[in-house]
Amino acid sequence: MLGRSVELARFDALLDRAAGDARGTARGEESGDSGRSRLVDITGEAGIGKSRLLGEVCARARRRGMTVLRGRATEYERQVPFQVFTDALAHLGPNALDGFQETDAVAPLLQRSGAVDRFGLHRSTAVLLARLAAPSGLLLALDDLHWADPASLELLDHLVRHPLHAPVVLAVTRRDRQSPESLAARLTRELDTGTVIRLGLRPLSARDCAELAGPGLAPAETAALYATSEGNPFYFLTLLQSHRGRTTAESSAPPGLGSLLLDELTVLAPSRRGIVDAVAVLGEHATPAMVSRVTGRSGTAFTADVHALTRRDLLRSAPQGLLTLRHPVVRTLVHESTPYLRRVEIHRLAAQELTRAGASAAERAHHVEQSLTTWDPAAVAVLEEAAARTARTAPASCAHWLDVALRHLPHTPEHACRRRELVLRRARALAACGGLRESRDLLQELIATPRRSSGGPATGENQGLRVRAVVLCALVERHLGRCTEAVALLRRELARDPAPADVVRLGLELGSAAPQDSDTSYAQVRTEVEGALAAARSMGDEIGEAGVLAVAALGEAYEGNMTAAHGLARQAAALVDSLPDNDLTALCEPLARLGWAEAFLEHYPDAERHAERGLDIARRSGQLYVVPHLLLCLSHVRVQTCRISSALELADQAEDIARGIGSDQLLAFVLASKAAALVAACPPGDPRPLAVAEEAVAAAGTGVDWWASTAWCIFGWAALMAGDPVRARDAMLRAGGPELQRIQPSMRPLYLEILVTAALVTGRSEEARGWAERACKEAEQLRLPMLRASALRSTAHLPLTQGDTAGAADLFAEAAAESARCGAVFWEAYSLLLGAPLEAAAGHGRDGTRAWLRGRRLAEAGGSGMLVGLADANRPPGDGSEAPYGSPEHAQLTQRLAALTARELEIAELVSQGLTSQAIADRLYVSRRTVETHVSRAFRKTGVSSRTALATLMARRRTGGRFGDARTEQD
């Protein structure tokens, strides 16, 4: 490994750490802490030695007793789903997955059939890798990722964004200039977080090349070879082999790499060149048996030829019995120099053999595609079946195979219906994998196609397909942030006097699109939605009726017409609850609408019940686009009811899907929801909520629609909690526009509370009064407990400016009671903790203590770092808990600090400086879990229960002052 000592040293450190973490886990140390995974990104040009370095790293990992899985992406199999991961997992032993309960969820990685949710597959793969890391650590090595298929890249993206809490090292190699933009961007973004470590391989030095050449070559000749190769090891060795074999004619111009390799091939006998061609074309199916069949050679003659090619180092034996060429560059050259019709014949024979062996359509599709030169119904049927089987797990491959089928489908009237159906399926697959614009273009072309089949009149089947295309196109337009276009498209189709069933479909989508359009309110489409409801009832279509009622309930709730929304939601819920799951498959999005309507109506148990049911049905039926809305409905409900860790986990899942779909508008909404959960989850001063909120408004762009308004509102809340009231105020005014009309009416009182607080902090007391009065007026119109509680908190700030603590305390107490009435536990605790010190200041010490204790209990039970921090800051005085310096209580706390180990004291000091767990971990070269374990032990030994209290305790220790802000176990 000449010239790679620095890179190997970095790997040795990572492997030692992973192996050490694994041993610690096996001994039960650090409460099962096993650090977190790291990815090493090895980049460089072709032939620079990336694969050679990776092979040496694999060998070193094996010597440490680690499990090693190595896979390689291949140039001509880029549409085979999960190919590089399948190649890596093929190294597992036959019993490696015994007892693994999620085997079915990762079936596509194991070349087993099964239609699974691709994002569930991502999470299950992470679980699998963590399992394989026990008991000695895991190295997952993925070679040539610049050729990886889209499904593999999406899975890797998940593993990078969600580092495993397990002793796992991921090592990938790629050519930087040939890497997909998405892969390069993700790996670059994660450099700053420490999740990714980049090793850019440079050419070898002249001294390294001289050592590589050995003493038998004259220095001048070595120098000439070095100059020609520019230090590229593969090129240098090829030049060296050519020089020693004298296979090239003398020339004044240095030979190119391609010329050298072709020279090496020209001396082969035809039978051996045929084997080399077959191996290059077959790729991952180049087993000796397959090569024998497609070349028509067998027996001792075939074996002798393979051995001869192996001795020449043209062929090598790979794991799982495959034959490969010695380097991907050689494969490229051989593949491109193999006559086209010869390649077609090899692929045809391979597909034939795989069919005989019972391989799945997805496994055969690559060879079928490459052998297809004209219309072949049987071959196209294989592509269609492969597309259907990969639609949920690898939609990019699905779209590709449908494209191949369409290119070979004759443009004749007899195939017109089939063509339209395939185009619709391809558009749906593209919409699922980030190709929203291409999907829209296909759908618009499909919609513009004359509604006739085989020269006859438009059929009901054709009309139904057209309406499905219109509805899908409107959905895609929404995800592209073009709600105005979506509304116009739907209205145009409704004007064509469609059949009643189509009126229902179009009305459902129109009612969903209108509230998100900055130019269209729900009131403007209410007539069309009512028409859809009437059409459903006229047909006795209970499923359609339930869907339209749900959409109408959300539309009215969004606009703040709560009486109408209550009635519609009750009717929708009654129908939905009476229908079996199979009947609700077509109602996943309306179920999301019903859940959100009930959430805005503050019917949290009903909202959660319907969203969970919709989520289960959507996942089973593969309706990916609606899953984020159901997840975010659940996340919203769990923030309101103070189940913060669950809310954050749901938002994380929604983020994965939003990034996969590729919709900036959906991503803005998802990130805004995640930021809201993070504000509730994180202690004061944590930078993560504001960072995620900033990304949300960046994704929203310059739009003024509902997505953007929501993102800016949450950004305002995050900025306020981060101590920046000026940015908070500016964000809210930007979100709302003139008179705050762009802010969702049914949420406006809650968002007005941000403006009230920001105005008071920045000294705008009259402005605060105006916002508070408006909040009260709008909350009374809405008649919802949680929103009325928000208005009461806004109003409670005003008496404080006049010194009326008793009046303010009463308003906060009333706000807590209103929140409790609807189960909004988060806001109940928030109100209690704001009011507790005011109760004490007003002379109601016992009431203040009770309020504080209840608020603190709710905050801790719900996992809200924000509320726990507020409790630490707002503990009411006068309850006898303060400990003067020199008192017995002070001595007791000093004794508790003395119980800390040196490491615990060191980490506590860093906590007091405001560092996050990850920042402390990076500074001390330990895992985040280790830091959190030490912090928990410090809590237990000192009797505090939050980072803020621990920081206060450490600050008092430094100054020798009072310990009044530290919290004891009795809290």
Side-chain angles (χ1 to χ4, degrees), residues 782-859:
L782 295 169
R783 299 179 180 275
L784 294 173
M786 190 268 285
L787 293 179
R788 185 165 184 271
S790 176
L792 287 167
R793 288 193 301 272
S794 292
T795 307
H797 291 294
L798 302 180
L800 288 176
T801 62
Q802 309 297 322
D804 183 5
T805 54
D810 289 343
L811 290 169
F812 279 123
E814 191 177 351
E818 285 290 320
S819 300
R821 192 155 65 88
C822 66
V825 177
F826 180 86
W827 299 110
E828 179 190 359
Y830 186 55
S831 303
L832 288 169
L833 294 171
L834 288 175
L838 302 179
E839 294 277 9
H844 310 142
R846 183 168 297 179
D847 291 340
T849 300
R850 279 199 297 266
W852 185 90
L853 286 171
R854 175 166 173 76
R856 178 59 178 267
R857 282 195 296 270
L858 293 175

Side-chain angles (χ1 to χ4, degrees), residues 61 63 115 144 197 260 334 434 468 531 553 798 868 937 956-957:
R63 288 198 291 271
D144 289 335
I197 299 166
L260 290 168
V334 173
R468 282 189 286 145
L798 302 180
V868 170
R937 290 172 179 170
R956 300 303 185 198
R957 171 180 177 270

Side-chain angles (χ1 to χ4, degrees), residues 582-605:
N582 286 343
D583 289 350
L584 295 179
T585 301
L587 283 185
C588 287
E589 186 162 12
L591 275 170
R593 305 292 169 189
L594 177 59
W596 274 110
E598 290 169 330
F600 292 147
L601 290 166
E602 300 175 9
H603 299 163
Y604 298 127

Side-chain angles (χ1 to χ4, degrees), residues 322-341:
L322 293 179
L323 295 174
T324 68
L325 295 168
R326 73 168 179 264
H327 194 279
V329 171
V330 179
R331 185 191 179 194
T332 300
L333 184 71
V334 173
H335 191 282
E336 297 305 316
S337 62
T338 301
Y340 170 69
L341 292 179

Side-chain angles (χ1 to χ4, degrees), residues 273-325:
R273 176 60 195 262
I275 291 174
V276 171
D277 291 346
V279 170
V281 172
L282 289 172
E284 62 177 5
H285 288 130
T287 62
M290 182 69 81
V291 175
S292 173
R293 290 190 185 100
V294 301
T295 58
R297 293 176 56 75
S298 60
T300 57
F302 173 75
T303 303
D305 283 343
V306 170
H307 286 167
L309 291 167
T310 303
R311 285 195 302 271
R312 294 180 68 94
D313 198 27
L314 268 172
L315 289 190
R316 292 179 179 176
S317 295
Q320 294 82 54
L322 293 179
L323 295 174
T324 68
L325 295 168

Side-chain angles (χ1 to χ4, degrees), residues 212-566:
L212 199 59
L217 198 66
E221 293 176 318
T222 301
L225 296 181
Y226 171 73
T228 300
S229 69
E230 297 180 339
N232 182 294
F234 180 64
Y235 193 5
F236 179 84
L237 288 171
T238 305
L239 281 167
L240 183 63
Q241 181 180 357
S242 173
H243 179 79
R244 287 172 173 163
R246 299 296 179 185
T247 58
T248 59
E250 296 294 331
S251 172
S252 57
L257 181 59
S259 299
L260 290 168
L261 294 172
L262 282 173
D263 285 344
E264 189 177 357
L265 295 172
T266 56
V267 301
L268 296 178
S271 62
R272 293 177 182 177
R273 176 60 195 262
I275 291 174
V276 171
D277 291 346
V279 170
V281 172
L282 289 172
E284 62 177 5
H285 288 130
T287 62
M290 182 69 81
V291 175
S292 173
R293 290 190 185 100
V294 301
T295 58
R297 293 176 56 75
S298 60
T300 57
F302 173 75
T303 303
D305 283 343
V306 170
H307 286 167
L309 291 167
T310 303
R311 285 195 302 271
R312 294 180 68 94
D313 198 27
L314 268 172
L315 289 190
R316 292 179 179 176
S317 295
Q320 294 82 54
L322 293 179
L323 295 174
T324 68
L325 295 168
R326 73 168 179 264
H327 194 279
V329 171
V330 179
R331 185 191 179 194
T332 300
L333 184 71
V334 173
H335 191 282
E336 297 305 316
S337 62
T338 301
Y340 170 69
L341 292 179
R342 173 62 179 150
R343 292 204 307 264
V344 168
E345 178 64 11
I346 292 172
H347 283 298
R348 186 188 69 78
L349 291 169
Q352 192 176 82
E353 290 300 324
L354 288 170
T355 301
R356 185 177 293 118
S360 68
E363 196 174 353
R364 288 179 281 148
H366 164 66
H367 294 293
V368 169
E369 173 192 347
Q370 297 302 321
S371 64
L372 195 58
T373 58
T374 186
W375 167 239
D376 181 343
V380 169
V382 172
L383 294 175
E384 287 187 42
E385 183 183 350
R389 289 184 177 276
T390 57
R392 292 178 61 184
T393 54
S397 295
C398 170
H400 171 78
W401 285 326
L402 289 172
D403 182 45
V404 175
L406 283 164
R407 281 193 270 113
H408 289 87
L409 189 67
H411 285 270
T412 59
E414 65 182 297
H415 294 293
C417 287
R418 186 178 184 184
R419 174 172 294 279
R420 288 164 61 82
E421 186 65 44
L422 291 179
V423 169
L424 183 60
R425 285 175 57 190
R426 182 164 185 261
R428 186 174 290 112
L430 287 167
C433 66
L436 291 170
R437 286 172 175 79
E438 189 178 356
S439 175
R440 179 191 62 196
D441 292 345
L442 277 178
L443 291 165
Q444 288 181 344
E445 181 181 343
L446 186 59
I447 293 166
T449 302
R451 292 182 290 167
R452 293 182 179 275
S453 174
S454 303
T459 64
E461 181 182 357
N462 279 338
Q463 176 63 17
L465 187 143
R466 174 190 169 86
V467 170
R468 282 189 286 145
V470 167
V471 170
L472 179 58
C473 188
L475 175 65
V476 171
E477 294 280 28
R478 274 201 278 144
H479 281 307
L480 287 169
R482 293 161 50 96
C483 291
T484 300
E485 288 81 354
V487 169
L489 175 66
L490 293 162
R491 279 182 158 162
R492 178 171 174 265
E493 194 64 24
L494 279 167
R496 292 174 175 269
D497 192 25
D502 294 333
V503 169
V504 175
R505 294 192 190 99
L506 295 164
L508 277 168
E509 179 61 25
L510 184 61
S512 298
Q516 299 171 16
D517 181 15
S518 58
D519 298 326
T520 309
S521 67
Y522 177 77
Q524 292 174 277
V525 301
R526 187 180 285 120
T527 300
E528 287 98 327
V529 175
E530 289 174 349
L533 181 60
R537 286 172 170 166
S538 71
M539 297 184 296
D541 178 9
E542 289 186 326
I543 298 171
E545 181 183 356
V548 177
L549 285 168
V551 167
L554 179 59
E556 300 292 0
Y558 177 91
E559 297 291 344
N561 302 318
M562 294 309 183
T563 301
H566 275 292

